[in-house]
Amino acid sequence: MSAGELEPMTARPYILAESTWKTVDATPYDVAILPWGATEAHNYHLPYATDTIQCDALSAEAARRAWERGAKVVVLPCVPFGVNTGQLDIKLCLNMNPATQAALLADLVHALEVQGIHKLVIFNGHGGNDFRQMIRELQPRTKVFLASINWYKIGDAKAIFTDLGDHAGELETSVMMHVAGDLVRPLAEAGDGRERRWTIGGLREGWAWAPRRWTQVTADTGTGNPALATPEKGARYAALVTSRVADFLAVLSAADPAQLYADA
Ligand SMILES: [Zn+2]
């Protein structure tokens, strides 16, 4: 910018990556939001950054809605690496182990703690990430109140989508069509996301659990058929998710972390 021009106002003061020190120094943030995605194959029609792009877009919109209600929230840069131990044999699926994620999380929480930002919400967009046990371990060691959200689990998605799918299926494809449609390949190029099931009953029924070997489960890396995805469905679900998360952020922003329970 040349001398004499006015410095533009930060258009999105709730996005740290777009904010300058003067704004940040003057803003008494209550809640930090840490989007956390993954870098992995998403069938033939969605890009590797799908989880990260969705986390960025949805957390920014939730923060905007909360900010407009007076909540001092700030979205941190998205962590683009998820747990992908079941996809190590798929080219450029970039695994970050849970122990590494926990170390990264602990460092960020420490920085927030000493800087006086004492509420953190992890906004997760990848099924292989699970922050609950990390939070259980970290919480007694920090003043920062910690919570995590899996955005794709919010609300009744079955009221909008025919075949949710859990990876590059109808839900995820619809949301990508809404937030980054120019990065979605034509659905005619997509595989059908057919998922092979466990042969052992307990695993198939879900009361026993083991991580899936992705290349043995799906041929196109997707699980769930994206054929019925539309940007309109994506917009409806994104509006549901971001309004619920905005409510959560606004209430959390105003809440005293020592007083979070009430009699039923
Ligand atoms: Zn995904």
Side-chain angles (χ1 to χ4, degrees):
M1 176 164 295
S2 61
E5 284 182 63
L6 284 172
E7 193 179 332
M9 296 280 288
T10 304
R12 301 199 298 174
Y14 46 85
I15 305 290
L16 180 60
E18 299 174 5
S19 301
T20 53
W21 162 237
K22 197 181 273 186
T23 304
V24 170
D25 190 38
T27 307
Y29 301 110
D30 292 316
V31 184
I33 302 140
L34 180 62
W36 205 312
T39 301
E40 59 175 348
H42 274 80
N43 199 326
Y44 302 124
H45 63 295
L46 297 181
Y48 268 59
T50 290
D51 293 358
T52 303
I53 290 166
Q54 293 178 133
C55 275
D56 264 336
L58 298 173
S59 61
E61 174 61 9
R64 184 190 68 78
R65 289 172 181 241
W67 182 272
E68 285 182 354
R69 290 159 57 175
K72 290 288 175 276
V73 298
V74 62
V75 181
L76 310 183
C78 186
V79 182
F81 303 118
V83 177
N84 278 98
T85 50
Q87 287 94 352
L88 282 169
D89 51 353
I90 299 174
K91 193 174 185 180
L92 290 174
C93 283
L94 299 177
N95 173 56
M96 180 180 273
N97 280 326
T100 316
Q101 291 187 325
L104 177 57
L105 180 62
D107 284 356
L108 296 177
V109 167
H110 180 252
L112 294 172
E113 176 166 347
V114 299
Q115 294 157 10
I117 299 165
H118 286 174
K119 294 164 187 165
L120 173 69
V121 176
I122 302 171
F123 190 95
N124 177 46
H126 172 62
N129 293 342
D130 189 345
F131 298 100
R132 289 175 299 180
Q133 298 300 76
M134 298 177 203
I135 290 173
R136 286 184 205 278
E137 183 172 334
L138 199 51
Q139 189 63 89
R141 307 203 304 251
T142 179
K143 286 199 215 49
V144 180
F145 174 80
L146 302 169
S148 70
I149 288 171
N150 295 321
W151 69 259
Y152 47 88
K153 296 257 177 82
I154 295 174
D156 183 13
K158 286 190 179 135
I160 300 175
F161 304 103
T162 309
D163 171 9
L164 302 183
D166 66 359
H167 187 68
E170 186 182 333
L171 184 158
E172 192 167 28
T173 301
S174 296
V175 173
M176 270 301 276
M177 287 170 153
H178 170 58
V179 302
D182 53 329
L183 294 176
V184 180
R185 304 289 311 161
L187 286 182
E189 294 180 15
D192 63 7
R194 191 152 40 88
E195 179 183 357
R196 299 178 76 213
R197 305 284 172 179
W198 292 102
T199 53
I200 299 173
L203 292 167
R204 207 168 48 244
E205 290 157 20
W207 50 267
W209 182 86
R212 290 175 289 179
R213 272 296 300 276
W214 214 249
T215 51
Q216 296 181 16
V217 169
T218 158
D220 53 32
T221 78
T223 55
N225 194 335
L228 298 178
T230 68
E232 292 73 27
K233 290 179 184 176
R236 272 177 69 196
Y237 189 57
L240 185 161
V241 166
T242 55
S243 73
R244 293 267 178 99
V245 175
D247 288 345
F248 178 82
L249 294 172
V251 173
L252 179 62
S253 170
D256 173 356
Q259 304 286 339
L260 292 178
Y261 306 92
D263 291 324

